[in-house]
Amino acid sequence: MATNAAQKKWRNKHRYVKTQLNVMARKQIHEDLDDFAGAFHLRGKGEAVTFATFVTRALAQRADFDAKAARMLDDFAAAYHRDRDMYSN
């Protein structure tokens, strides 16, 4: 864990553009994020979270004008909600 001084320095440097997100997640999610980072040449788990958000937003935008993408997004959402307990808690 970062020292208080290091955290304060980070917060001061990024106060207008970033907020720190500390979340508890299952070990498998952390492993998945490491895998995404490696597969897509990202800088680590934090950037993998950003990339996952980017991909989700892109798919949602594509779904606005592509029926196949809309079905995929609906299927992914339904599958997540069906199996939510496996991914969260």
Side-chain angles (χ1 to χ4, degrees):
M1 177 136 182
T3 65
N4 288 341
Q7 289 178 350
K8 183 175 180 169
K9 183 179 177 182
W10 185 92
R11 287 186 190 108
N12 286 337
K13 180 179 178 182
H14 299 290
R15 91 179 127 219
Y16 298 116
V17 294
K18 293 185 177 182
T19 58
Q20 194 168 4
L21 177 64
N22 294 325
V23 296
M24 293 294 293
R26 288 181 182 249
K27 186 175 180 181
Q28 182 60 48
I29 299 301
H30 285 274
E31 291 171 1
D32 290 344
L33 290 170
D34 280 331
D35 291 346
F36 296 161
F40 296 104
H41 310 291
L42 305 172
R43 289 183 228 142
K45 290 190 288 187
E47 195 172 21
V49 170
T50 303
F51 179 72
T53 303
F54 170 80
V55 170
T56 303
R57 182 177 301 273
L59 182 58
Q61 289 173 348
R62 178 68 54 97
D64 287 342
F65 61 88
D66 182 344
K68 186 175 181 180
R71 279 192 307 275
M72 286 176 55
L73 187 57
D74 288 344
D75 290 346
F76 294 153
Y80 175 79
H81 287 288
R82 181 187 64 235
D83 300 329
R84 174 181 268 165
D85 291 337
M86 285 181 9
Y87 301 109
S88 61
N89 293 345

Coordinates of all heavy atoms in Angstrom, one line a residue:
M1 N 0.8 -1.2 0.0 CA 0.0 0.0 0.0 C 0.9 1.2 0.0 O 1.9 1.3 0.6 CB -0.9 0.0 1.2 CG -1.8 1.2 1.4 SD -3.4 0.6 1.8 CE -4.2 2.2 1.9
A2 N 0.5 2.2 -0.7 CA 1.2 3.5 -0.8 C 1.2 4.2 0.5 O 0.3 4.2 1.3 CB 0.7 4.4 -1.9
T3 N 2.3 4.9 0.8 CA 2.4 5.7 2.0 C 1.4 6.9 1.9 O 1.0 7.3 0.8 CB 3.8 6.3 2.2 OG1 4.1 7.2 1.2 CG2 4.8 5.2 2.3
N4 N 1.1 7.5 3.1 CA 0.2 8.7 3.1 C 0.8 9.8 2.2 O 0.0 10.5 1.5 CB 0.0 9.1 4.5 CG -1.0 8.2 5.3 OD1 -1.7 7.4 4.7 ND2 -0.9 8.3 6.6
A5 N 2.1 10.0 2.3 CA 2.7 11.1 1.6 C 2.6 10.8 0.1 O 2.3 11.7 -0.7 CB 4.2 11.2 2.0
A6 N 2.8 9.6 -0.4 CA 2.7 9.2 -1.8 C 1.3 9.4 -2.3 O 1.0 9.9 -3.4 CB 3.2 7.8 -2.0
Q7 N 0.3 9.0 -1.4 CA -1.1 9.2 -1.8 C -1.5 10.7 -1.9 O -2.2 11.1 -2.9 CB -2.0 8.5 -0.8 CG -2.0 7.0 -0.9 CD -2.9 6.4 0.2 OE1 -3.4 7.0 1.1 NE2 -3.0 5.1 0.1
K8 N -1.0 11.5 -1.0 CA -1.3 12.9 -1.0 C -0.7 13.5 -2.3 O -1.3 14.4 -2.9 CB -0.8 13.6 0.2 CG -1.1 15.0 0.3 CD -0.7 15.7 1.6 CE -1.0 17.2 1.5 NZ -0.9 17.8 2.8
K9 N 0.6 13.2 -2.6 CA 1.2 13.7 -3.8 C 0.4 13.3 -5.0 O 0.2 14.1 -5.9 CB 2.6 13.1 -3.9 CG 3.5 13.6 -5.0 CD 4.9 13.0 -5.0 CE 5.6 13.5 -6.3 NZ 7.0 12.9 -6.3
W10 N 0.0 12.1 -5.1 CA -0.8 11.6 -6.3 C -2.1 12.4 -6.4 O -2.5 12.9 -7.5 CB -1.2 10.1 -6.2 CG -1.9 9.6 -7.4 CD1 -1.3 9.0 -8.5 CD2 -3.3 9.6 -7.6 NE1 -2.2 8.6 -9.4 CE2 -3.5 9.0 -8.9 CE3 -4.4 10.0 -6.9 CZ2 -4.7 8.8 -9.4 CZ3 -5.6 9.8 -7.5 CH2 -5.8 9.2 -8.7
R11 N -2.8 12.6 -5.3 CA -4.1 13.3 -5.3 C -3.9 14.8 -5.7 O -4.7 15.3 -6.4 CB -4.7 13.2 -3.9 CG -5.3 11.9 -3.6 CD -6.1 11.9 -2.3 NE -6.5 10.5 -1.9 CZ -5.9 9.8 -0.9 NH1 -5.0 10.4 -0.2 NH2 -6.3 8.6 -0.7
N12 N -2.8 15.4 -5.2 CA -2.6 16.8 -5.5 C -2.2 16.9 -7.0 O -2.7 17.9 -7.6 CB -1.4 17.4 -4.7 CG -1.8 17.7 -3.3 OD1 -3.0 17.8 -3.0 ND2 -0.9 17.7 -2.4
K13 N -1.5 16.0 -7.5 CA -1.1 16.0 -8.9 C -2.3 15.9 -9.9 O -2.4 16.5 -10.9 CB -0.1 15.0 -9.2 CG 0.4 14.9 -10.7 CD 1.5 13.9 -10.8 CE 1.9 13.8 -12.3 NZ 2.9 12.7 -12.5
H14 N -3.2 15.0 -9.5 CA -4.3 14.6 -10.4 C -5.7 15.1 -9.9 O -6.7 14.7 -10.4 CB -4.4 13.1 -10.5 CG -3.2 12.5 -11.1 ND1 -2.8 12.6 -12.4 CD2 -2.2 11.7 -10.5 CE1 -1.7 12.0 -12.6 NE2 -1.3 11.4 -11.5
R15 N -5.7 16.1 -9.0 CA -7.0 16.4 -8.3 C -8.1 16.9 -9.3 O -9.3 16.7 -9.0 CB -6.8 17.4 -7.2 CG -6.9 18.9 -7.7 CD -6.6 19.8 -6.5 NE -5.6 20.7 -7.0 CZ -4.6 21.2 -6.2 NH1 -4.6 20.8 -5.0 NH2 -3.7 21.9 -6.7
Y16 N -7.7 17.5 -10.4 CA -8.7 18.0 -11.4 C -9.2 17.0 -12.5 O -10.2 17.3 -13.1 CB -8.2 19.3 -12.0 CG -8.0 20.4 -11.0 CD1 -6.7 20.9 -10.8 CD2 -9.0 20.9 -10.2 CE1 -6.4 21.9 -9.9 CE2 -8.8 21.9 -9.3 CZ -7.5 22.4 -9.1 OH -7.2 23.4 -8.2
V17 N -8.4 16.0 -12.6 CA -8.7 15.1 -13.7 C -9.0 13.6 -13.3 O -9.5 12.8 -14.1 CB -7.6 15.1 -14.8 CG1 -7.6 16.4 -15.5 CG2 -6.3 14.7 -14.2
K18 N -8.6 13.2 -12.1 CA -8.8 11.8 -11.7 C -9.3 11.7 -10.3 O -9.1 12.6 -9.5 CB -7.4 11.1 -11.8 CG -6.8 10.9 -13.2 CD -5.6 10.1 -13.1 CE -5.0 9.9 -14.5 NZ -3.8 9.0 -14.4
T19 N -9.9 10.6 -10.0 CA -10.2 10.3 -8.6 C -9.8 8.8 -8.5 O -9.9 8.0 -9.4 CB -11.7 10.4 -8.3 OG1 -12.5 9.6 -9.2 CG2 -12.2 11.8 -8.4
Q20 N -9.3 8.5 -7.3 CA -8.9 7.2 -7.0 C -10.0 6.2 -6.7 O -11.0 6.6 -6.0 CB -7.9 7.2 -5.8 CG -7.1 6.0 -5.6 CD -6.0 6.2 -4.6 OE1 -5.9 7.2 -4.0 NE2 -5.2 5.2 -4.4
L21 N -10.0 5.1 -7.3 CA -11.0 4.1 -7.1 C -10.5 2.8 -6.5 O -9.7 2.1 -7.2 CB -11.7 3.8 -8.5 CG -12.7 2.7 -8.5 CD1 -14.0 3.1 -7.7 CD2 -13.1 2.4 -10.0
N22 N -10.8 2.6 -5.3 CA -10.3 1.4 -4.6 C -11.6 0.5 -4.4 O -12.5 0.9 -3.7 CB -9.7 1.7 -3.2 CG -8.4 2.5 -3.4 OD1 -7.7 2.3 -4.3 ND2 -8.2 3.4 -2.5
V23 N -11.6 -0.6 -5.0 CA -12.7 -1.5 -4.8 C -12.2 -2.9 -4.5 O -11.2 -3.3 -4.8 CB -13.6 -1.6 -6.1 CG1 -14.2 -0.2 -6.5 CG2 -12.7 -2.1 -7.3
M24 N -13.1 -3.6 -3.7 CA -12.8 -5.0 -3.4 C -13.5 -5.8 -4.5 O -14.6 -5.6 -4.9 CB -13.4 -5.4 -2.1 CG -12.8 -4.7 -0.9 SD -11.1 -5.2 -0.6 CE -11.4 -6.9 -0.2
A25 N -12.7 -6.7 -5.1 CA -13.2 -7.6 -6.1 C -12.7 -9.0 -5.9 O -11.6 -9.2 -5.3 CB -12.8 -7.1 -7.5
R26 N -13.4 -9.9 -6.4 CA -13.0 -11.3 -6.3 C -11.6 -11.5 -7.0 O -11.2 -10.8 -7.9 CB -14.0 -12.3 -7.0 CG -15.2 -12.4 -6.2 CD -16.2 -13.3 -6.8 NE -17.4 -13.4 -6.1 CZ -17.8 -14.5 -5.4 NH1 -17.1 -15.6 -5.4 NH2 -18.9 -14.4 -4.7
K27 N -10.9 -12.5 -6.5 CA -9.5 -12.7 -7.1 C -9.6 -13.0 -8.6 O -8.7 -12.5 -9.3 CB -8.9 -13.9 -6.4 CG -7.5 -14.2 -6.7 CD -6.9 -15.3 -5.9 CE -5.5 -15.5 -6.3 NZ -4.8 -16.6 -5.6
Q28 N -10.6 -13.7 -9.1 CA -10.7 -13.9 -10.5 C -10.8 -12.7 -11.3 O -10.3 -12.6 -12.4 CB -12.0 -14.8 -10.8 CG -12.1 -15.2 -12.2 CD -11.0 -16.0 -12.8 OE1 -10.5 -16.9 -12.1 NE2 -10.4 -15.6 -13.9
I29 N -11.5 -11.6 -10.8 CA -11.6 -10.3 -11.5 C -10.2 -9.7 -11.6 O -9.8 -9.2 -12.7 CB -12.6 -9.4 -10.8 CG1 -14.0 -10.0 -10.7 CG2 -12.6 -8.0 -11.4 CD1 -14.6 -10.3 -12.1
H30 N -9.4 -9.8 -10.6 CA -8.0 -9.3 -10.6 C -7.2 -10.0 -11.6 O -6.4 -9.4 -12.4 CB -7.4 -9.3 -9.2 CG -7.9 -8.3 -8.3 ND1 -7.4 -7.0 -8.2 CD2 -8.9 -8.3 -7.4 CE1 -8.0 -6.3 -7.3 NE2 -8.9 -7.1 -6.8
E31 N -7.4 -11.3 -11.7 CA -6.7 -12.1 -12.6 C -7.1 -11.8 -14.1 O -6.3 -11.7 -15.0 CB -6.9 -13.6 -12.3 CG -6.2 -14.1 -11.1 CD -6.5 -15.5 -10.6 OE1 -7.3 -16.2 -11.3 OE2 -6.0 -15.9 -9.5
D32 N -8.4 -11.6 -14.3 CA -8.9 -11.2 -15.6 C -8.3 -9.9 -16.0 O -7.9 -9.7 -17.2 CB -10.4 -11.1 -15.6 CG -11.1 -12.5 -15.5 OD1 -10.5 -13.5 -15.7 OD2 -12.3 -12.5 -15.2
L33 N -8.3 -8.9 -15.1 CA -7.7 -7.6 -15.4 C -6.2 -7.7 -15.8 O -5.8 -7.1 -16.7 CB -7.9 -6.6 -14.2 CG -9.3 -6.2 -14.0 CD1 -9.4 -5.4 -12.7 CD2 -9.8 -5.3 -15.1
D34 N -5.5 -8.6 -15.1 CA -4.1 -8.8 -15.5 C -4.0 -9.4 -16.9 O -3.1 -9.0 -17.7 CB -3.4 -9.8 -14.5 CG -2.9 -9.1 -13.2 OD1 -2.6 -7.9 -13.3 OD2 -2.9 -9.8 -12.2
D35 N -4.9 -10.4 -17.2 CA -4.9 -11.0 -18.5 C -5.3 -9.9 -19.6 O -4.6 -9.9 -20.6 CB -6.0 -12.1 -18.6 CG -5.6 -13.3 -17.7 OD1 -4.4 -13.4 -17.3 OD2 -6.5 -14.2 -17.5
F36 N -6.2 -9.1 -19.3 CA -6.6 -8.0 -20.3 C -5.4 -7.1 -20.5 O -5.1 -6.7 -21.7 CB -7.7 -7.1 -19.8 CG -9.1 -7.9 -19.6 CD1 -10.1 -7.3 -18.8 CD2 -9.3 -9.1 -20.3 CE1 -11.3 -8.0 -18.7 CE2 -10.5 -9.7 -20.1 CZ -11.5 -9.2 -19.3
A37 N -4.7 -6.8 -19.4 CA -3.5 -5.9 -19.6 C -2.5 -6.5 -20.5 O -1.9 -5.8 -21.3 CB -2.9 -5.6 -18.2
G38 N -2.2 -7.8 -20.3 CA -1.3 -8.4 -21.2 C -1.7 -8.6 -22.6 O -1.0 -8.3 -23.5
A39 N -3.0 -9.0 -22.8 CA -3.5 -9.3 -24.1 C -3.6 -8.0 -25.0 O -3.4 -8.1 -26.2 CB -4.9 -10.0 -24.0
F40 N -3.9 -6.9 -24.3 CA -4.1 -5.7 -25.1 C -3.0 -4.6 -24.9 O -3.1 -3.5 -25.2 CB -5.4 -5.1 -24.8 CG -6.6 -5.9 -25.2 CD1 -7.3 -6.7 -24.2 CD2 -7.0 -6.1 -26.5 CE1 -8.3 -7.5 -24.6 CE2 -8.0 -6.9 -26.9 CZ -8.7 -7.6 -25.9
H41 N -1.8 -5.1 -24.3 CA -0.6 -4.3 -24.2 C -1.0 -3.0 -23.3 O -0.6 -1.9 -23.7 CB 0.0 -3.9 -25.5 CG 0.2 -5.1 -26.4 ND1 1.1 -6.0 -26.1 CD2 -0.4 -5.5 -27.5 CE1 1.1 -7.0 -27.1 NE2 0.1 -6.7 -27.9
L42 N -1.6 -3.2 -22.2 CA -2.0 -2.1 -21.3 C -0.9 -2.0 -20.2 O -0.1 -2.9 -20.0 CB -3.4 -2.3 -20.8 CG -4.5 -2.5 -21.8 CD1 -5.8 -3.0 -21.2 CD2 -4.6 -1.3 -22.7
R43 N -1.0 -1.0 -19.4 CA 0.0 -0.7 -18.4 C -0.3 -1.3 -17.0 O 0.5 -1.2 -16.1 CB 0.2 0.8 -18.2 CG 0.9 1.4 -19.4 CD 1.2 2.9 -19.1 NE 0.7 3.6 -20.3 CZ 0.1 4.7 -20.3 NH1 -0.1 5.4 -19.2 NH2 -0.2 5.3 -21.5
G44 N -1.4 -2.0 -16.9 CA -1.7 -2.7 -15.7 C -3.2 -2.8 -15.5 O -4.0 -2.5 -16.4
K45 N -3.6 -3.2 -14.3 CA -5.0 -3.4 -14.0 C -5.8 -2.1 -14.1 O -7.0 -2.2 -14.5 CB -5.2 -4.1 -12.6 CG -4.7 -5.5 -12.6 CD -5.1 -6.2 -11.4 CE -4.3 -5.8 -10.2 NZ -4.6 -6.6 -9.0
G46 N -5.3 -1.0 -13.6 CA -6.0 0.2 -13.7 C -6.3 0.6 -15.1 O -7.5 1.0 -15.4
E47 N -5.4 0.5 -16.0 CA -5.6 0.8 -17.4 C -6.6 -0.3 -18.0 O -7.4 0.0 -18.9 CB -4.3 0.8 -18.2 CG -4.6 1.5 -19.6 CD -3.3 1.8 -20.3 OE1 -2.2 1.2 -20.0 OE2 -3.3 2.6 -21.2
A48 N -6.5 -1.5 -17.5 CA -7.5 -2.5 -18.0 C -8.9 -2.2 -17.6 O -9.8 -2.4 -18.4 CB -7.1 -3.9 -17.4
V49 N -9.1 -1.6 -16.5 CA -10.5 -1.1 -16.1 C -10.9 0.0 -17.0 O -12.0 0.0 -17.5 CB -10.5 -0.6 -14.6 CG1 -11.8 0.1 -14.3 CG2 -10.3 -1.8 -13.7
T50 N -10.0 0.9 -17.3 CA -10.3 2.0 -18.2 C -10.7 1.4 -19.6 O -11.6 1.9 -20.3 CB -9.1 3.0 -18.3 OG1 -8.9 3.5 -17.0 CG2 -9.4 4.1 -19.3
F51 N -9.9 0.5 -20.1 CA -10.1 -0.2 -21.4 C -11.5 -0.9 -21.4 O -12.2 -0.8 -22.4 CB -9.0 -1.1 -21.7 CG -9.1 -1.8 -23.0 CD1 -9.0 -1.1 -24.2 CD2 -9.5 -3.2 -23.1 CE1 -9.1 -1.8 -25.4 CE2 -9.6 -3.8 -24.3 CZ -9.4 -3.1 -25.5
A52 N -11.8 -1.6 -20.3 CA -13.1 -2.3 -20.3 C -14.2 -1.3 -20.4 O -15.3 -1.5 -21.0 CB -13.2 -3.1 -19.0
T53 N -14.1 -0.2 -19.7 CA -15.1 0.9 -19.8 C -15.2 1.5 -21.2 O -16.3 1.7 -21.7 CB -14.8 2.0 -18.8 OG1 -14.7 1.4 -17.5 CG2 -15.8 3.1 -18.8
F54 N -14.1 1.7 -21.8 CA -14.0 2.2 -23.2 C -14.7 1.2 -24.2 O -15.5 1.6 -25.0 CB -12.6 2.4 -23.6 CG -12.4 2.6 -25.1 CD1 -12.6 3.9 -25.6 CD2 -12.0 1.6 -26.0 CE1 -12.4 4.2 -26.9 CE2 -11.9 1.9 -27.3 CZ -12.1 3.2 -27.8
V55 N -14.4 -0.1 -24.0 CA -15.0 -1.1 -24.9 C -16.5 -1.1 -24.7 O -17.3 -1.2 -25.6 CB -14.4 -2.5 -24.7 CG1 -15.2 -3.6 -25.4 CG2 -12.9 -2.4 -25.2
T56 N -17.0 -1.1 -23.4 CA -18.4 -1.1 -23.1 C -19.1 0.1 -23.7 O -20.2 0.0 -24.3 CB -18.6 -1.2 -21.6 OG1 -18.0 -2.3 -21.1 CG2 -20.1 -1.3 -21.3
R57 N -18.5 1.3 -23.6 CA -19.1 2.5 -24.1 C -19.2 2.4 -25.6 O -20.2 2.8 -26.3 CB -18.3 3.7 -23.7 CG -19.0 5.0 -24.2 CD -18.2 6.2 -23.7 NE -18.2 6.3 -22.3 CZ -19.2 6.9 -21.6 NH1 -20.2 7.4 -22.1 NH2 -19.0 7.0 -20.3
A58 N -18.1 1.9 -26.3 CA -18.1 1.8 -27.7 C -19.2 0.8 -28.2 O -19.9 1.0 -29.2 CB -16.7 1.3 -28.2
L59 N -19.3 -0.3 -27.5 CA -20.4 -1.3 -27.8 C -21.8 -0.7 -27.7 O -22.6 -0.9 -28.5 CB -20.3 -2.6 -27.0 CG -21.2 -3.7 -27.3 CD1 -21.2 -4.1 -28.8 CD2 -21.0 -4.9 -26.4
A60 N -22.0 0.1 -26.6 CA -23.3 0.7 -26.4 C -23.5 1.8 -27.5 O -24.7 1.9 -28.0 CB -23.3 1.4 -25.0
Q61 N -22.5 2.5 -27.9 CA -22.7 3.5 -29.0 C -23.0 2.7 -30.3 O -23.8 3.2 -31.1 CB -21.5 4.4 -29.2 CG -21.3 5.3 -28.0 CD -20.0 6.1 -28.1 OE1 -19.1 5.8 -28.8 NE2 -19.9 7.1 -27.2
R62 N -22.3 1.6 -30.6 CA -22.5 0.9 -31.8 C -23.9 0.3 -31.8 O -24.6 0.2 -32.8 CB -21.5 -0.3 -31.9 CG -21.6 -1.2 -33.1 CD -21.3 -0.6 -34.4 NE -20.0 0.1 -34.5 CZ -18.9 -0.4 -34.9 NH1 -18.9 -1.6 -35.4 NH2 -17.8 0.3 -35.0
A63 N -24.4 -0.1 -30.6 CA -25.8 -0.7 -30.5 C -26.9 0.3 -30.9 O -27.9 -0.1 -31.3 CB -26.0 -1.2 -29.1
D64 N -26.6 1.6 -30.9 CA -27.5 2.6 -31.2 C -27.9 2.5 -32.7 O -29.0 2.9 -33.1 CB -27.0 4.0 -30.9 CG -27.0 4.3 -29.5 OD1 -27.7 3.6 -28.7 OD2 -26.3 5.2 -29.1
F65 N -27.0 1.9 -33.6 CA -27.3 1.9 -35.0 C -27.1 0.5 -35.6 O -27.2 0.4 -36.8 CB -26.6 3.0 -35.8 CG -25.1 2.9 -35.7 CD1 -24.4 2.2 -36.6 CD2 -24.4 3.6 -34.7 CE1 -23.0 2.1 -36.5 CE2 -23.1 3.6 -34.6 CZ -22.3 2.8 -35.5
D66 N -26.7 -0.5 -34.8 CA -26.4 -1.8 -35.3 C -27.2 -2.8 -34.5 O -26.9 -3.0 -33.3 CB -24.9 -2.1 -35.2 CG -24.5 -3.4 -35.8 OD1 -25.4 -4.3 -36.0 OD2 -23.3 -3.6 -36.0
A67 N -28.2 -3.5 -35.1 CA -29.1 -4.4 -34.4 C -28.3 -5.6 -33.8 O -28.6 -6.1 -32.7 CB -30.2 -4.9 -35.3
K68 N -27.3 -6.1 -34.5 CA -26.5 -7.2 -34.0 C -25.7 -6.8 -32.7 O -25.7 -7.5 -31.8 CB -25.5 -7.7 -35.1 CG -24.7 -8.9 -34.7 CD -23.9 -9.4 -35.8 CE -23.1 -10.7 -35.5 NZ -22.3 -11.2 -36.6
A69 N -25.1 -5.6 -32.7 CA -24.4 -5.1 -31.5 C -25.4 -4.9 -30.4 O -25.1 -5.2 -29.2 CB -23.7 -3.8 -31.8
A70 N -26.6 -4.4 -30.7 CA -27.6 -4.2 -29.6 C -28.0 -5.6 -29.0 O -28.1 -5.7 -27.8 CB -28.9 -3.5 -30.2
R71 N -28.2 -6.6 -29.8 CA -28.5 -7.9 -29.3 C -27.3 -8.5 -28.4 O -27.6 -9.0 -27.4 CB -28.8 -8.9 -30.4 CG -30.2 -8.8 -31.0 CD -30.5 -10.0 -31.9 NE -29.6 -10.2 -32.9 CZ -29.5 -9.6 -34.1 NH1 -30.5 -8.7 -34.4 NH2 -28.6 -9.9 -35.0
M72 N -26.1 -8.3 -28.9 CA -24.9 -8.7 -28.1 C -24.9 -8.0 -26.8 O -24.7 -8.6 -25.7 CB -23.6 -8.4 -28.9 CG -23.3 -9.3 -30.0 SD -21.9 -8.8 -30.9 CE -20.6 -8.8 -29.7
L73 N -25.1 -6.7 -26.8 CA -25.1 -5.9 -25.5 C -26.2 -6.4 -24.6 O -26.0 -6.6 -23.4 CB -25.2 -4.4 -25.8 CG -25.1 -3.5 -24.6 CD1 -23.7 -3.7 -24.0 CD2 -25.2 -2.1 -25.1
D74 N -27.4 -6.6 -25.1 CA -28.5 -7.2 -24.3 C -28.2 -8.5 -23.7 O -28.5 -8.8 -22.6 CB -29.8 -7.2 -25.1 CG -30.4 -5.8 -25.4 OD1 -30.0 -4.9 -24.7 OD2 -31.2 -5.8 -26.3
D75 N -27.6 -9.4 -24.6 CA -27.2 -10.7 -24.1 C -26.1 -10.7 -23.0 O -26.2 -11.4 -22.0 CB -26.7 -11.6 -25.3 CG -27.7 -12.0 -26.3 OD1 -28.9 -11.8 -26.0 OD2 -27.3 -12.4 -27.4
F76 N -25.1 -9.8 -23.2 CA -24.1 -9.6 -22.2 C -24.7 -9.1 -20.8 O -24.4 -9.6 -19.8 CB -23.0 -8.7 -22.6 CG -22.2 -9.2 -23.8 CD1 -21.6 -8.2 -24.6 CD2 -22.0 -10.5 -24.0 CE1 -20.8 -8.7 -25.7 CE2 -21.3 -10.9 -25.1 CZ -20.7 -10.0 -26.0
A77 N -25.6 -8.2 -20.9 CA -26.2 -7.6 -19.7 C -27.1 -8.7 -19.0 O -27.0 -8.8 -17.8 CB -27.1 -6.4 -20.1
A78 N -27.8 -9.4 -19.8 CA -28.7 -10.5 -19.2 C -27.8 -11.6 -18.6 O -28.1 -12.0 -17.5 CB -29.6 -11.1 -20.3
A79 N -26.7 -12.0 -19.2 CA -25.9 -13.0 -18.7 C -25.2 -12.5 -17.4 O -25.1 -13.2 -16.4 CB -24.8 -13.4 -19.7
Y80 N -24.8 -11.2 -17.4 CA -24.2 -10.7 -16.2 C -25.2 -10.7 -15.0 O -24.9 -11.1 -13.9 CB -23.6 -9.3 -16.4 CG -23.1 -8.7 -15.1 CD1 -21.9 -9.0 -14.6 CD2 -23.9 -7.8 -14.4 CE1 -21.4 -8.5 -13.4 CE2 -23.4 -7.3 -13.1 CZ -22.2 -7.6 -12.7 OH -21.8 -7.1 -11.5
H81 N -26.4 -10.2 -15.3 CA -27.4 -10.1 -14.2 C -27.8 -11.5 -13.7 O -28.0 -11.7 -12.5 CB -28.6 -9.4 -14.7 CG -28.4 -7.9 -14.8 ND1 -28.2 -7.1 -13.7 CD2 -28.2 -7.1 -15.9 CE1 -28.0 -5.8 -14.1 NE2 -28.0 -5.8 -15.4
R82 N -27.8 -12.5 -14.6 CA -28.1 -13.9 -14.3 C -27.1 -14.4 -13.3 O -27.4 -15.1 -12.4 CB -28.3 -14.7 -15.5 CG -28.6 -16.2 -15.2 CD -28.6 -17.0 -16.5 NE -27.2 -17.1 -17.0 CZ -26.9 -16.7 -18.3 NH1 -27.8 -16.3 -19.1 NH2 -25.6 -16.8 -18.7
D83 N -25.8 -14.1 -13.6 CA -24.7 -14.7 -12.9 C -24.0 -13.7 -12.0 O -22.8 -13.9 -11.6 CB -23.7 -15.3 -13.9 CG -24.3 -16.4 -14.7 OD1 -25.2 -17.1 -14.2 OD2 -23.8 -16.6 -15.9
R84 N -24.6 -12.6 -11.7 CA -24.0 -11.5 -10.9 C -23.3 -11.9 -9.7 O -22.2 -11.4 -9.4 CB -25.1 -10.5 -10.5 CG -24.6 -9.4 -9.7 CD -25.8 -8.5 -9.3 NE -25.8 -7.4 -10.3 CZ -26.9 -6.6 -10.5 NH1 -27.9 -6.8 -9.7 NH2 -26.8 -5.7 -11.4
D85 N -23.8 -12.9 -9.0 CA -23.1 -13.3 -7.7 C -21.8 -13.9 -8.0 O -20.9 -14.0 -7.1 CB -24.0 -14.3 -7.0 CG -25.3 -13.6 -6.4 OD1 -25.2 -12.4 -6.2 OD2 -26.3 -14.3 -6.1
M86 N -21.5 -14.5 -9.2 CA -20.2 -15.0 -9.5 C -19.2 -13.9 -9.6 O -18.0 -14.1 -9.4 CB -20.2 -15.8 -10.8 CG -20.9 -17.2 -10.6 SD -21.0 -18.2 -12.1 CE -19.9 -17.4 -13.3
Y87 N -19.6 -12.7 -10.1 CA -18.7 -11.7 -10.4 C -18.5 -10.6 -9.3 O -17.5 -9.9 -9.2 CB -19.1 -11.0 -11.7 CG -19.2 -11.9 -12.8 CD1 -20.4 -12.3 -13.4 CD2 -18.0 -12.5 -13.4 CE1 -20.5 -13.2 -14.4 CE2 -18.1 -13.4 -14.4 CZ -19.3 -13.7 -14.9 OH -19.4 -14.6 -16.0
S88 N -19.6 -10.5 -8.5 CA -19.5 -9.4 -7.4 C -19.6 -10.1 -6.1 O -19.6 -11.3 -5.9 CB -20.6 -8.4 -7.6 OG -21.9 -9.0 -7.6
N89 N -19.7 -9.3 -5.0 CA -19.8 -9.8 -3.6 C -18.5 -10.3 -3.1 O -17.8 -11.0 -3.4 CB -20.9 -10.8 -3.4 CG -22.3 -10.3 -3.6 OD1 -22.5 -9.1 -3.7 ND2 -23.2 -11.2 -3.8

